[in-house]
Amino acid sequence: MSRTEPDDDGPSGVHCRLDELLIARGMTLTKLSELVGVSVVNLSVLKNDRARAIRYSTLSAICRALDCEIGDLLVRADGF
């Protein structure tokens, strides 16, 4: 692997603020799962910054359910 390629085993450099947004809206991960049609396990992976990728359709559905913008949900890891 060259120095310019991302390390697939290391941190992504992106932090997901899903936990904070759920708390602010009084919503559970289970309820969000029902609203967006994504398993609780997959949402938990996202919430705990272990996701490697996310579909635009899933990202859009989460933001609709939480009434937020993508930048409210995902932030640079060095910026939080």
Side-chain angles (χ1 to χ4, degrees):
M1 174 170 54
S2 75
R3 292 180 187 252
T4 59
E5 293 177 13
D7 181 0
D8 284 342
D9 295 327
S12 67
V14 175
H15 170 63
C16 181
R17 295 186 61 246
L18 185 55
D19 206 29
E20 297 105 293
L21 293 170
L22 287 170
I23 290 168
R25 284 150 178 81
M27 187 183 296
T28 65
L29 203 60
T30 302
K31 180 63 178 176
L32 181 63
S33 171
E34 294 167 1
L35 291 172
V36 300
V38 175
S39 73
V40 171
V41 170
N42 284 341
L43 288 176
S44 181
V45 167
L46 183 64
K47 178 176 81 88
N48 292 307
D49 292 332
R50 293 191 318 264
R52 294 276 177 223
I54 184 170
R55 292 176 188 225
Y56 285 165
S57 58
T58 301
L59 188 56
S60 181
I62 291 170
C63 288
R64 265 194 315 276
L66 294 175
D67 190 29
C68 70
E69 295 296 324
I70 294 167
D72 299 328
L73 181 64
L74 301 176
V75 296
R76 288 179 34 192
D78 58 0
F80 72 97

